[in-house]
Amino acid sequence: MTAFTEAVKIAHAAIRQGQPAQALEAARMAAAANPKSSEAWWLLGTAAMGLDDMPTAESAFARAAEAAPPGSKLSGQMLALRGKPLISDGRMADAVESARQAVATGLSDVPSLVKLSYTFTHAGLPEEALSCIRPATELAPDHAEAWYSLGSVYRTLGQIDDSEAAFKRAIELSPTPPVAAYFNLAYLRRWTEAGNHISLLESLSCRTSLEACRVAYTLFKEYDDLRQPEKAWDCLQVGAGLAGKIEPWSSTEEAETIAAWKAHFPPERFQTKDARPRSGPKRIFIVGLPRSGTTLIERVLAAHSQVQAIGELKTFGIATHKLADIENVRRLAPEVIAAAARLDPLDIADYYTRESAFLNDGSAYVIDKLPANHDYVGLIRLAFPDAIIIALDRNPMDALFGCYKVLFTGAYGWSYSQDDLADHYAHFSDLMSYWKQVLGDGLIEVSLEAVIRNPEPEIRRLLDACGLPFEEGCLKPHEAKGGVSTASAVQVRSPINSKGIDAWKRYETQLAPLYNRLRQFGYVD
């Protein structure tokens, strides 16, 4: 047995036994012994994925694709595997290019089609995701993961009945507790006494804290639908308690971040306009708290003939971190902001434009609706001097309760306790006040309540501020085309309505700690 064959055998065995470190070592030996072996590079990538070493995994899968015969199914399978590590590294454009190359090989195996659907969905290309995942369910009608992925894509596209049917099929077929499918199913519509999943949810055996967390939030949603606030609140407390441990957050760290923005981006930096040309379409950035109406305003503008919504992109923050080049710091720490202040804003603009170009359909205006971009408002203005920046405002109790009752997996760690909600709102308000001070009329403020109460005059005012002519379609944002992948994906398919105003009052007693903290800060009467 050669050294290569032995190393491959050891790597396969280590992967089967759940020993990624040993698999990685053996796979490195195999790849060194035979650099032209797709199998060796695949083993290396798979082991690296098991260790959450995404850069190594991506590089290995790329080498595996190169070693395979050009245009072969094997090459396509390896290219499909690159998607998740590329997305993890913030290289969305490369992920899409790799996925499209994989599609071109004519892949027909279900695991690869599921991976391609994942890439296209996360890239904000639901139609391309659908073209991969629908055939997967036809090829393997009993493949639970394929049906789950199909349900997610249909939800993004607003095909709610199809989404519900796909999630239910995934639940029927799942060999393990289908927690994620129940979680997504719960938010598709309002459940009733005659039709709900509460008994099934309460009988599920959860394997991880995240699964238990999802079950608790799902139970909250269904008990809330049934107007049983006491039971709903108890479930929410369980879910939020678990989520807070999964996504820790520090008020002190956020205060340091805001102080750094003020220190490194003083008012005088915004007194002169950079006249160097920027490529690409005119940018619209919509910022605010999650659940503050950002998706509604996105749909209002996306209904305009000159405007395209390209989703919630993390691209601006990724560009800032990549170019700042501060190692071993993932959060928006003061040292990242200090480094960003020394960058040429045009470099950030070029990076952002290059990484998001694959989404633009040629429209004159494009919308980036990531709420968390509120941190970068000043830097956005420097990178794109002519950008339209819209800041949403909503009654803080409604906005914060809206955040509290949603599980934001992987984000918004401040949303899982009432004290943290209040502290974050104080930090958020402080920073937005500062950006308003330095940008003045360059920050367009929109009140969600005002839009709901007086849609036409408020929408006309918004369009005028954006330099866009009025179009009737903007009064019907629920009819706007395009996918929506946020927590508002179902809600925004309905006409503008006042259902969300004062929704927090159903839990007024339970939310007293949050209300009292906000009152102490002076944010509520």
Side-chain angles (χ1 to χ4, degrees):
M1 184 179 294
T2 66
F4 168 76
T5 304
E6 178 67 18
V8 167
K9 181 180 178 181
I10 292 171
H12 273 293
I15 287 172
R16 286 195 303 270
Q17 294 164 12
Q19 299 174 330
Q22 292 88 327
L24 186 69
E25 182 180 356
R28 286 192 191 280
M29 295 175 61
N34 185 1
K36 294 185 178 180
S37 167
S38 287
E39 183 181 18
W41 290 113
W42 172 80
L43 286 165
L44 181 54
T46 302
M49 288 281 283
L51 295 168
D52 199 31
D53 182 355
M54 295 303 180
T56 298
E58 185 280 316
S59 177
F61 291 139
R63 292 291 298 272
E66 291 171 4
S72 66
K73 296 289 182 67
L74 177 59
S75 172
Q77 289 169 339
M78 298 303 105
L79 289 168
L81 286 167
R82 292 182 70 208
K84 187 171 184 178
L86 282 169
I87 291 170
S88 176
D89 194 39
R91 297 166 58 191
M92 194 66 77
D94 288 341
V96 169
E97 177 60 25
S98 184
R100 287 173 174 168
Q101 290 175 3
V103 169
T105 67
L107 285 177
S108 58
D109 67 287
V110 173
S112 292
L113 292 173
V114 170
K115 289 178 177 66
L116 292 172
S117 176
Y118 172 92
T119 297
F120 287 130
T121 298
H122 279 73
L125 299 167
E127 294 289 356
E128 290 187 61
L130 186 62
S131 70
C132 294
I133 200 60
R134 192 156 51 191
T137 60
E138 295 167 357
L139 288 165
D142 295 335
H143 199 286
E145 187 179 1
W147 283 104
Y148 174 80
S149 298
L150 181 61
S152 300
V153 175
Y154 277 142
R155 177 179 180 272
T156 298
L157 291 169
Q159 297 176 222
I160 305 305
D161 290 342
D162 290 332
S163 178
E164 182 176 345
F167 282 134
K168 286 181 175 179
R169 183 66 176 145
I171 289 168
E172 292 171 3
L173 296 170
S174 180
T176 58
V179 173
Y182 275 123
F183 178 79
N184 283 279
L185 179 63
Y187 290 88
L188 292 180
R189 64 180 178 89
R190 186 175 297 281
W191 302 96
T192 66
E193 290 284 358
N196 63 75
H197 310 95
I198 288 173
S199 61
L200 289 169
L201 289 162
E202 291 180 335
S203 69
L204 289 178
S205 298
C206 297
R207 298 163 297 175
T208 65
S209 293
L210 179 57
E211 284 192 349
C213 187
R214 283 176 170 159
V215 168
Y217 274 89
T218 308
L219 283 167
F220 164 79
K221 167 63 169 60
E222 298 210 7
Y223 273 126
D224 185 59
D225 286 349
L226 271 54
R227 292 296 190 265
Q228 297 185 34
E230 292 80 12
K231 290 183 178 180
W233 185 260
D234 287 344
C235 294
L236 182 56
Q237 297 315 287
V238 172
L242 290 168
K245 294 176 182 177
I246 296 170
E247 301 288 345
W249 175 81
S250 167
S251 180
T252 300
E253 289 180 352
E254 184 162 358
E256 293 170 351
T257 295
I258 292 168
W261 281 121
K262 294 178 180 180
H264 296 290
F265 290 84
E268 52 267 27
R269 284 209 63 172
F270 303 92
Q271 290 175 359
T272 58
K273 183 177 180 180
D274 184 348
R276 292 175 294 175
R278 269 62 170 170
S279 60
K282 193 174 182 69
R283 308 288 176 183
I284 300 175
F285 291 87
I286 301 176
V287 303
L289 287 174
R291 314 299 293 156
S292 65
T294 54
T295 303
L296 173 62
I297 297 306
E298 175 197 46
R299 305 303 288 171
V300 165
L301 293 173
H304 197 283
S305 61
Q306 298 182 42
V307 181
Q308 178 198 5
I310 57 175
E312 293 190 350
L313 306 189
K314 297 179 181 178
T315 309
F316 196 92
I318 289 169
T320 302
H321 278 75
K322 290 274 190 182
L323 295 173
D325 195 25
I326 304 295
E327 294 184 359
N328 301 319
V329 176
R330 296 183 67 89
R331 72 179 183 89
L332 191 50
E335 54 265 40
V336 175
I337 295 170
R342 297 189 292 269
L343 297 173
D344 183 343
L346 183 58
D347 290 340
I348 299 176
D350 288 344
Y351 187 109
Y352 179 93
T353 299
R354 183 173 62 253
E355 284 295 311
S356 60
F358 71 91
L359 289 167
N360 187 16
D361 64 5
S363 297
Y365 295 71
V366 297
I367 307 168
D368 181 338
K369 189 205 74 72
L370 184 67
N373 274 336
H374 77 270
D375 259 313
Y376 300 93
V377 163
L379 194 51
I380 288 170
R381 169 59 69 231
L382 296 175
F384 296 103
D386 66 341
I388 297 164
I389 306 175
I390 300 168
L392 261 292
D393 178 58
R394 185 184 185 187
N395 176 341
M397 286 302 297
D398 275 332
L400 293 173
F401 176 54
C403 295
Y404 190 43
K405 66 182 181 178
V406 172
L407 176 60
F408 296 106
T409 307
Y412 308 127
W414 46 264
S415 67
Y416 303 119
S417 86
Q418 295 193 50
D419 281 342
D420 287 351
L421 285 163
D423 285 348
H424 173 70
Y425 188 77
H427 296 316
F428 166 81
S429 299
D430 182 18
L431 184 58
M432 291 309 297
S433 295
Y434 180 71
W435 294 139
K436 179 61 179 177
Q437 173 194 335
V438 299
L439 299 188
D441 293 341
L443 188 65
I444 302 169
E445 296 180 285
V446 174
S447 162
L448 176 63
E449 287 82 6
V451 172
I452 288 172
R453 291 186 177 115
N454 300 290
E456 183 165 345
E458 289 297 320
I459 289 171
R460 284 182 178 273
R461 181 185 72 84
L462 174 61
L463 292 172
D464 186 61
C466 294
L468 290 164
F470 176 74
E471 291 183 1
E472 288 287 340
C474 294
L475 300 178
K476 302 174 183 178
H478 58 291
E479 297 179 0
K481 296 180 180 179
V484 178
S485 59
T486 70
S488 303
V490 176
Q491 181 182 350
V492 296
R493 304 296 178 180
S494 299
I496 295 174
N497 62 74
S498 61
K499 292 179 181 178
I501 292 180
D502 288 338
W504 71 275
K505 288 190 174 179
R506 290 206 309 277
Y507 296 91
E508 187 169 4
T509 300
Q510 296 92 331
L511 289 168
L514 173 61
Y515 182 87
N516 290 334
R517 287 287 306 284
L518 293 178
R519 186 174 61 182
Q520 290 171 5
F521 291 153
Y523 295 121
V524 297
D525 294 333

